[in-house]
Amino acid sequence: MTVPTRFPRARRWLEQLLHTHDTPARTAAAYAVGVFFGFSPFLGLHTILGLGVAFALNLNRVAVLLGIYSNLPWILPAYYTLTTLAGALILRADVPADLLEELGAALTAGSWSEMRAHAAKLAPLAWAYTLGSTLGAIVLAIVAYRVSYVMILTHRQRKESRKEQNSDDLGA
């Protein structure tokens, strides 16, 4: 992000806020923190928690937000269903045979009382949901760190080689 040089104070403020000159490891870590919170069981609080950690650890806020919003709405039901089932398997919890029907009914309930009734049937899976989605978020954060770190290093190497090539072309 470039700010015209006639606004040096704004440029310094933006660079400090966004941490655009962090090391590749810190930028990848910021992205991984975002991915963790984006896929954590704290659905609905992920932005607040992620930004809170970003400010507390002085991480790149843009990278954290990109990580948080890596969880796309159309993959969330499948992700949370699979991780809840994995958590239930680990905890040896009983999974209702009509789990998907109950989940769908709870999400599309027309009133609070209907939703509460369906949610009460799903309550025994709360620990399975918490454990499964936390473990899934950890795995995805580790993968996100490794992939983003390699991508950042590759991008910076290409950028440097282009600079060297351009300076060689100008000097020749």
Side-chain angles (χ1 to χ4, degrees):
M1 170 173 266
T2 58
V3 176
T5 54
R6 65 179 182 220
F7 300 112
R9 185 178 292 166
R11 181 185 192 123
R12 280 193 310 274
W13 180 79
L14 276 174
E15 286 176 354
Q16 184 178 12
L17 177 70
L18 300 176
H19 290 272
T20 54
H21 299 296
D22 270 349
T23 64
R26 282 186 56 82
T27 303
Y31 181 70
V33 164
V35 167
F36 172 79
F37 281 110
F39 288 92
S40 73
F42 309 115
L43 197 59
L45 297 173
H46 56 276
T47 303
I48 293 167
L49 292 172
L51 285 176
V53 169
F55 276 100
L57 299 177
N58 212 13
L59 294 173
N60 182 327
R61 282 78 168 173
V62 173
V64 170
L65 285 173
L66 284 172
I68 288 170
Y69 293 112
S70 295
N71 66 351
L72 302 171
W74 49 87
I75 64 171
L76 287 181
Y79 170 76
Y80 283 110
T81 301
L82 290 174
T83 57
T84 300
L85 290 173
L89 184 68
I90 293 168
L91 294 174
R92 294 188 173 103
D94 291 330
V95 178
D98 59 346
L99 172 67
L100 292 177
E101 291 173 27
E102 286 296 328
L103 187 58
L107 294 174
T108 59
S111 68
W112 282 105
S113 59
E114 282 181 53
M115 191 166 77
R116 263 191 246 128
H118 292 295
K121 293 177 186 174
L122 297 173
L125 294 176
W127 284 112
Y129 163 79
T130 303
L131 176 65
S133 57
T134 299
L135 292 176
I138 290 169
V139 168
L140 290 174
I142 291 168
V143 170
Y145 176 83
R146 291 185 168 276
V147 169
S148 61
Y149 183 71
V150 169
M151 289 178 67
I152 293 166
L153 286 179
T154 303
H155 172 74
R156 288 189 179 185
Q157 287 171 349
R158 285 184 180 163
K159 192 174 176 182
E160 283 299 315
S161 68
R162 272 185 263 144
K163 269 186 188 177
E164 289 173 9
Q165 188 178 24
N166 286 342
S167 66
D168 290 345
D169 290 345
L170 292 174

